[in-house]
Amino acid sequence: MNSNLLSSILSQTATTDLNVIDASISKTDYIAIDLSKANPDLNSFDISSSKAWEDYINQYLKQHNKQVAFGGYLETRNLYNRSSYFSAQAETEQRNIHLGLDLWCPANTPVLACFEGKVHSFKNNTNFGDYGPTIILEHCLDNQVFYTLYGHLSEASIANIKIGDIIAQGETIASLGEASVNGDYAPHLHFQIIIDMQNKSGDYPGVCSLNDLEFYKTNTINPNEILGL
C-alpha cells in the first residue's frame, strides 16, 4: 500500500476526538517536547537513568502546567545509546531515529485503541531499552489494512488478551507500565502506525538507522496528524 494513500484515508478521519490515552485528558493539556539530540537540556542530567528521565518529564509538565508531553516522530535521539540493543559502530547504522509518537504521562494511564480492529499480536519485549509489553492491532479502513502498535505497557495489559480479539475504537486496551517493566524508560506510550508488518509478530522496529530511514518513512504514518496534535 502507498503511504500517501493511507495517510490521506486516515487524515479524513483525523479529529481531536481521536485518543490513544485517557480520553478525559483534554488535548489542551498536551504539550510538545523536544527529545532530540539537538536539545541542550538533555545534557543537564544522566540520560541513562529512567528515574532522571521521569524527573525531567515531570518537571517539564509542571513548568508548563500540562498533563501529557508528546512528540518524537522521525526525531533523531541520543537516548538509545545507553542500550547495546540499539547501539552500533557506524553512525549511519545506529538505530536512533524514532518512528512513532511518544506520549509521556504517569504509569497506569489508560491506553485506548485509536481505531476499530482486532488484536494482531502481543508480546513482552524484554530487552533493555525495548518496548516491554506490547500490543499490535490490525485495522481495515476503506479496504486498506494497516496496524497500530502500543508499546511500554504494564504486564497486566497482555495477561488476558488473545489474538483475534475484536476491539472497538476508543476501547481501553491497556495501561502504561513503570520503568521496571517497560524497557527501563520513564512511563510513556509509544504509538506507531504501520502499513506492512513484514511478517513480524508482537514487535516492530520503533527506531531505525539513517540507512533505513527512507523505507520506514514509506511504511509508517505520522501519528501527530491523525491525532490532531
Side-chain angles (χ1 to χ4, degrees), residues 152-228:
H152 308 298
L153 309 175
S154 67
E155 290 180 328
S157 299
I158 60 172
N160 297 301
I161 63 172
K162 60 183 183 296
I163 293 172
D165 281 350
I166 301 302
I167 304 295
Q169 184 177 46
E171 180 178 341
T172 298
I173 59 169
S175 61
L176 295 186
E178 298 178 343
S180 60
V181 301
N182 77 357
D184 196 51
Y185 292 97
H188 71 290
L189 174 69
H190 175 99
F191 173 65
Q192 189 165 327
I193 304 174
I194 303 161
I195 297 173
D196 180 4
M197 281 294 297
Q198 301 182 278
N199 296 317
K200 297 184 184 301
S201 179
D203 190 14
Y204 191 84
V207 292
C208 75
S209 68
L210 185 60
N211 284 344
D212 294 330
L213 178 58
E214 290 308 310
F215 167 75
Y216 285 108
K217 279 183 178 179
T218 66
N219 202 43
T220 61
I221 301 294
N222 185 351
N224 298 51
E225 299 172 359
I226 308 308
L227 295 177

Side-chain angles (χ1 to χ4, degrees), residues 47-199:
I47 65 170
S48 69
S49 166
S50 58
K51 177 62 167 62
W53 270 109
E54 188 166 1
D55 290 344
Y56 174 73
I57 297 293
N58 289 342
Q59 182 58 36
Y60 184 85
L61 290 171
K62 183 177 179 180
Q63 175 186 351
H64 295 280
N65 195 29
K66 300 294 182 180
Q67 295 187 57
V68 179
F70 72 91
Y73 183 65
L74 301 187
E75 189 172 71
T76 302
R77 296 173 167 178
N78 285 335
L79 65 95
Y80 305 111
N81 295 347
R82 68 196 183 117
S83 171
S84 60
Y85 183 63
F86 294 107
S87 60
Q89 293 294 325
E91 185 173 350
T92 56
E93 296 174 358
Q94 185 176 344
R95 292 175 59 201
N96 60 1
I97 302 172
H98 193 250
L99 299 173
L101 172 70
D102 282 339
L103 299 109
W104 303 85
C105 49
N108 300 313
T109 297
V111 175
L112 315 179
C114 193
F115 304 98
E116 177 184 353
K118 64 182 179 180
V119 175
H120 170 271
S121 52
F122 57 93
K123 182 181 176 183
N124 192 353
N125 296 286
T126 57
N127 289 302
F128 177 70
D130 207 337
Y131 288 130
T134 308
I135 295 174
I136 298 172
L137 302 183
E138 179 179 330
H139 314 278
C140 186
L141 191 62
D142 287 357
N143 296 315
Q144 303 295 326
V145 176
F146 64 100
Y147 306 85
T148 53
L149 181 151
Y150 307 78
H152 308 298
L153 309 175
S154 67
E155 290 180 328
S157 299
I158 60 172
N160 297 301
I161 63 172
K162 60 183 183 296
I163 293 172
D165 281 350
I166 301 302
I167 304 295
Q169 184 177 46
E171 180 178 341
T172 298
I173 59 169
S175 61
L176 295 186
E178 298 178 343
S180 60
V181 301
N182 77 357
D184 196 51
Y185 292 97
H188 71 290
L189 174 69
H190 175 99
F191 173 65
Q192 189 165 327
I193 304 174
I194 303 161
I195 297 173
D196 180 4
M197 281 294 297
Q198 301 182 278
N199 296 317

